[in-house]
């Protein structure tokens, strides 16, 4: 698998990573055995960049990843995150609501120690601040993260959903290797200001939800298909009229994919991969068959003419509905 460089500090990862969040949280049923088999298959296929967070589960996703990489540590680049606070799961089924952000230096240190323990490793390869804490100057948070680098507990630093001002301020404290933001055929937000800044500073982009939380694969047919505790039931793009309108977008993607003899999800991933050598998407799946399909997208070439056609069919801002419920939109640092 092609390797890509994230940032100027020397972090090399496979061109496509694996998002592990859905193995423990947000997207319906869980199957630990198949999830671990998916991680092992990823490593065998050369996908070495695993993405988790202490917020996923919460906590259980790091434990799952730790279990899967035991005895395979040297083959893996482990990325995890701190900073998002979750409540208890809603009684009677439902994901644990996000209730806040913490970027205080002492909290950063405590989270790092706890993540290392759950992952069963002695150094995190890429440590992200999951959301910027508006109450704490980013210099303080990144200062604490930089100390962890000096102590050998973390190798590279990242941010997620940070504003252009905060990316610049953070990078002045310690080089930031990667920004993890939502970026896909239906979420083009980073293109206006964030991506140009990342390129100016030499920071890589790690697009999360590159398959639109599954929507762009064309396999989701109705909001009624989601399990009662599936997070997407709360997400505007997956509700009512928005869902129906967004299905029309998937139809366009499907038609273009069919002409190339690939799946809609592969077209969506190939499009993200084609946006630059400094971009490493992390599609999430807990199924080996989906993983194999997604990895095959690395070999898909999109011609200039096809790129123009895709962009014309799906211009920025085309999706119906916000990408998060209101309570979570507020946590984005813009
Ligand atoms: N920084 C942040 O704030 C943030 C936010 C969200 C996510 N993330 C990270 O980014 C990763 C990826 O994002 P994501 O999981 O939200 O969204 P995604 O990668 O866009 O989509 C994941 C969904 O697509 C389904 N899927 C994957 N491949 C498929 C295929 N080939 N055919 C049909 N369905 C397929 C998965 O199903 P199955 O699960 O059933 O296999 C899952 O429901 C996460 O795992 C997480 O690590 C970060």
């Amino acid at each position: 698998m092609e390797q890509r460089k994230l940032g100027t500090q020397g972090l090399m990862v496979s061109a496509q990573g694996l998002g592990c969040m859905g193995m423990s949280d947000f997207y319906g049923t869980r199957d630990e055995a198949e999830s671990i088999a998916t991680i092992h298959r990823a490593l065998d296929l050369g996908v070495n960049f695993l993405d988790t967070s202490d917020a996923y589960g919460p906590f259980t996703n790091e434990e799952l990843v730790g279990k899967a990489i035991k005895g395979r540590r040297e083959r893996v680049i482990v990325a995890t995150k701190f900073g998002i606070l979750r409540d208890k799961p809603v009684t009677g089924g439902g994901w644990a609501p996000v209730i806040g952000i913490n970027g205080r230096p002492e909290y950063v240190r405590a989270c790092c120690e706890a993540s290392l323990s759950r992952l069963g490793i002695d150094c995190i390869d890429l440590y992200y601040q999951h959301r910027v804490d508006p109450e704490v100057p980013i210099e303080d948070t990144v200062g604490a993260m930089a100390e962890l680098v000096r102590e050998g507990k973390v190798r590279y630093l990242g941010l997620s959903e940070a504003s252009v001002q905060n990316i610049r301020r953070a990078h002045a404290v310690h080089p930031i290797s990667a920004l993890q933001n939502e970026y896909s055929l239906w979420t083009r937000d980073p293109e206006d200001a964030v991506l140009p800044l990342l390129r100016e500073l030499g920071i890589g982009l790690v697009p999360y939800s590159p398959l639109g939380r599954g929507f762009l694969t064309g396999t989701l047919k109705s909001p009624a298909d989601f399990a009662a505790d599936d997070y997407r039931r709360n997400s505007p793009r997956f509700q009512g009229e928005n869902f129906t309108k967004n299905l029309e977008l998937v139809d366009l993607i499907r038609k273009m994919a069919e002409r190339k003899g690939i799946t809609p999800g592969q077209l969506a991933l190939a499009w993200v991969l084609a946006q630059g050598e400094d971009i490493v998407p992390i599609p999430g799946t807990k199924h080996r068959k989906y993983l194999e399909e997604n990895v095959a997208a690395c070999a898909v070439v999109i011609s200039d003419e096809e790129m123009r056609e895709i962009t014309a069919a799906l211009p920025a801002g085309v999706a119906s509905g916000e990408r998060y419920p209101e309570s979570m939109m507020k946590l984005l640092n813009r």
Side-chain angles (χ1 to χ4, degrees):
M1 152 116 22
E2 176 200 340
Q3 302 291 299
R4 291 189 172 183
K5 192 164 94 174
L6 290 174
T8 55
Q9 301 287 293
L11 175 58
M12 296 296 296
V13 297
S14 51
Q16 186 180 120
L18 174 63
C20 299
M21 178 183 83
M23 296 174 182
S24 313
D25 210 349
F26 294 111
Y27 302 151
T29 54
R30 308 187 219 322
D31 178 341
E32 182 175 299
E34 179 61 16
S35 293
I36 289 177
T38 303
I39 291 176
H40 291 170
R41 183 77 182 122
L43 297 179
D44 290 344
L45 291 173
V47 172
N48 67 0
F49 186 36
L50 303 183
D51 191 78
T52 180
S53 167
D54 64 1
Y56 303 156
F59 311 120
T60 50
N61 193 235
E62 286 187 331
E63 287 163 1
L64 178 93
V65 171
K67 202 167 170 183
I69 64 173
K70 199 161 189 252
R72 295 171 165 85
R73 174 67 183 105
E74 70 294 342
R75 294 167 61 189
V76 188
I77 303 291
V78 180
T80 191
K81 322 182 189 81
F82 70 89
I84 289 187
L85 308 174
R86 308 272 306 272
D87 203 350
K88 292 191 186 62
V90 176
T91 336
W95 52 282
V98 172
I99 49 168
I101 303 174
N102 193 338
R104 299 193 185 284
E106 63 281 9
Y107 180 76
V108 176
R109 174 166 295 274
C111 285
C112 177
E113 295 293 348
S115 287
L116 287 170
S117 161
R118 283 188 292 269
L119 288 159
I121 58 179
D122 53 20
C123 180
I124 294 165
D125 296 303
L126 175 59
Y127 202 32
Y128 295 98
Q129 181 182 25
H130 208 154
R131 288 289 181 275
V132 173
D133 184 345
E135 304 296 325
V136 179
I138 199 153
E139 288 80 0
D140 294 0
T141 307
V142 175
M145 294 166 77
E147 261 178 45
L148 297 171
V149 176
R150 284 192 287 277
E151 291 168 17
K153 292 180 174 167
V154 167
R155 288 172 65 216
Y156 300 97
L157 301 187
L159 303 172
S160 180
E161 296 285 359
S163 68
V164 289
Q165 293 85 352
N166 277 325
I167 295 169
R168 218 179 253 293
R169 284 169 57 186
H171 194 67
V173 175
H174 186 281
I176 299 298
S177 292
L179 178 79
Q180 186 176 129
N181 270 27
E182 184 166 351
Y183 186 42
S184 68
L185 269 177
W186 77 350
T187 300
R188 308 267 295 276
D189 308 25
E191 289 177 357
D192 290 343
V194 170
L195 206 39
L197 176 70
L198 298 185
R199 288 181 170 153
E200 178 198 324
L201 300 178
I203 299 173
L205 177 66
V206 174
Y208 75 74
S209 305
L211 294 168
R213 300 182 186 269
F215 204 96
L216 304 175
T217 66
T219 54
L220 301 176
K221 305 292 180 209
S222 152
D225 295 341
F226 295 134
D229 65 348
D230 194 305
Y231 154 82
R232 290 168 290 193
R233 280 183 178 270
N234 304 276
S235 183
R237 286 188 184 174
F238 294 83
Q239 292 172 333
E241 223 177 276
N242 288 339
F243 195 107
T244 313
K245 281 198 194 143
N246 288 328
L247 279 179
E248 290 167 19
L249 305 180
V250 176
D251 241 17
L252 296 173
I253 298 171
R254 189 195 316 278
K255 284 191 185 114
M256 292 185 281
E258 268 170 13
R259 268 191 275 134
K260 283 180 76 64
I262 59 175
T263 65
Q266 286 174 326
L267 187 76
L269 287 177
W271 180 87
V272 176
L273 283 159
Q275 301 310 308
E277 296 283 304
D278 50 353
I279 295 184
V280 179
I282 48 167
T285 181
K286 47 185 176 263
H287 296 102
R288 280 170 287 182
K289 66 172 187 195
Y290 288 165
L291 168 88
E292 287 167 5
E293 182 188 321
N294 298 346
V295 168
C298 291
V300 172
V301 177
I302 300 182
S303 69
D304 291 348
E305 198 188 325
E306 287 167 336
M307 193 54 89
R308 278 193 291 277
E309 190 191 347
I310 296 169
T311 316
L314 297 144
V318 74
S320 290
E322 293 276 26
R323 60 192 176 96
Y324 277 110
E326 203 186 331
S327 61
M328 287 171 77
M329 283 302 286
K330 282 191 208 141
L331 303 181
L332 304 176
N333 183 228
R334 294 183 294 173

